[in-house]
């Protein structure tokens, strides 16, 4: 099993280049981030080359304070597309493999239409080697977020009929909202572009909580998934917390 350090949460107290080096030293196979835009892309590319770690993905910006993405917000199309342009340019400069297009707080048919239109725009602007990801967020952490369930995400992906638009399957969000993580993942695997995880319900390291990640990781491996899984959790007791879970929950290490 391979793991990617999500640097939006892990080593978040360090400048991004130092966080990438820390992830390499800790034994991660890849990195991913949320909003790297305050760090010059050349600096990030240099440290990725230095460490040999791939950058799996990054997010479009949230927008104004209190917002959580723009792509499904009616009336914010210009801002949403500026955010997409920013993400595409940055991802291309650092060689990131994916962009999470954040939907934002919105509801209804007009939000659905705006999201589809902005995803079409993103697909037209992004190079073919950059995957576009959409991610349902759970109702407890993000009440009012447009994209709520994996079924809704699947319907959007099927309606678009565009290559390289895929589901970000976050075991934490699915566990909080839908449950039955392994069955859901098995069903959705053909449209999954990235898998993330954290303990349920506290979003901590995967060594505690309601979900047995030893079992989940073994099932994911059994499905033939070989790409790094994203460790997007909030560490306790420091910048990275205790990383023994990587050894304890994965018999291949």
């Amino acid at each position: 099993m391979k793991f990617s350090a999500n640097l939006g949460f892990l080593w978040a107290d360090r400048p991004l280049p130092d966080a990438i080096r820390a992830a390499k030293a800790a034994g991660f196979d890849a990195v991913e981030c949320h909003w790297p835009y305050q760090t010059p892309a050349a600096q990030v590319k240099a440290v990725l080359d230095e460490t040999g770690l791939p950058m799996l993905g990054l997010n479009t910006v949230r927008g104004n304070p209190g917002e959580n993405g723009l792509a499904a917000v009616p009336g914010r199309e210009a801002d949403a597309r500026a955010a997409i342009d920013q993400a595409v340019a940055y991802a291309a400069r650092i060689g990131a493999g994916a962009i999470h297009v954040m939907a934002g707080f919105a509801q209804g048919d007009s939000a659905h239409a705006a999201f589809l239109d902005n995803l079409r725009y993103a697909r037209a602007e992004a190079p073919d080697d950059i995957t576009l990801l959409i991610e349902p967020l759970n109702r407890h952490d993000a009440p009012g977020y447009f994209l709520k369930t994996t079924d809704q995400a699947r319907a959007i992906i099927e309606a678009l009929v565009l290559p390289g638009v895929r589901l970000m399957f976050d075991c934490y969000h699915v566990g909080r909202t839908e449950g039955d993580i392994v069955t859901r993942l098995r069903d959705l695997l053909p449209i999954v572009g990235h898998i993330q995880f954290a303990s349920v319900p506290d979003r901590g390291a995967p060594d505690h909580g309601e979900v047995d990640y030893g079992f989940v990781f073994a099932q994911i491996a059994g499905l033939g998934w070989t790409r790094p899984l994203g460790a997007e959790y909030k560490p306790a007791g420091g910048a990275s917390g205790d990383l023994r879970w990587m050894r304890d929950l994965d018999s291949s290490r």
Side-chain angles (χ1 to χ4, degrees):
M1 189 67 66
K2 296 179 180 179
F3 295 109
S4 170
N6 190 294
L7 304 179
F9 289 151
L10 300 178
W11 296 287
D13 62 337
R14 305 184 187 189
L16 184 54
D18 291 343
I20 294 170
R21 293 187 182 98
K24 174 67 173 181
F28 281 94
D29 304 287
V31 290
E32 56 199 67
C33 58
H34 290 161
W35 304 284
Y37 305 107
Q38 297 304 310
T39 305
Q43 292 183 17
V44 175
K45 180 63 166 63
V47 75
L48 292 172
D49 291 344
E50 170 195 321
T51 60
L53 294 180
M55 176 68 78
L56 298 189
L58 50 84
N59 296 350
T60 56
V61 294
R62 281 177 158 167
N64 296 324
E67 294 183 309
N68 203 21
L70 300 166
V73 182
R76 298 294 300 280
E77 287 82 4
D79 293 331
R81 295 183 182 195
I84 289 165
D85 291 343
Q86 177 190 39
V88 168
Y90 197 101
R93 290 190 189 109
I94 68 171
I99 295 168
H100 170 205
V101 181
M102 298 196 70
F105 298 124
Q107 307 296 325
D109 292 344
S110 60
H112 178 81
F115 198 39
L116 291 178
D117 285 345
N118 285 321
L119 287 169
R120 292 187 186 103
Y121 174 85
R123 186 66 280 167
E125 296 299 312
D128 292 343
D129 60 354
I130 293 179
T131 299
L132 302 178
L133 299 172
I134 62 173
E135 179 184 19
L137 304 185
N138 77 78
R139 64 182 180 274
H140 308 287
D141 292 352
Y145 194 74
F146 171 73
L147 194 56
K148 298 177 177 64
T149 69
T150 55
D151 283 341
Q152 182 189 7
R154 173 160 51 188
I156 287 168
I157 290 169
E158 291 176 349
L160 286 169
V161 196
L162 290 174
V165 180
R166 303 183 71 81
L167 171 66
M168 177 111 78
F169 188 100
D170 190 324
C171 298
Y172 166 72
H173 287 297
V174 174
R176 290 280 274 156
T177 301
E178 302 175 49
D180 208 4
I181 291 169
V182 171
T183 300
R184 296 298 296 156
L185 180 57
R186 184 179 294 113
D187 178 48
L188 292 161
L189 196 64
I191 63 168
V192 171
H194 186 42
I195 301 172
Q196 295 178 326
F197 62 88
S199 65
V200 177
D202 68 357
R203 207 172 193 179
D207 56 1
H208 65 279
E210 298 174 1
V211 176
D212 178 359
Y213 274 106
F215 173 79
V216 171
F217 292 161
Q219 294 299 306
I220 290 172
L223 292 172
W225 187 271
T226 59
R227 285 169 279 173
L229 307 180
E232 191 187 35
Y233 67 86
K234 297 178 180 179
S240 64
D242 188 343
L243 293 171
R244 284 181 294 180
W245 62 264
M246 282 200 289
R247 181 193 67 242
D248 294 344
L249 297 179
D250 179 17
S251 59
S252 68
R253 288 183 177 249

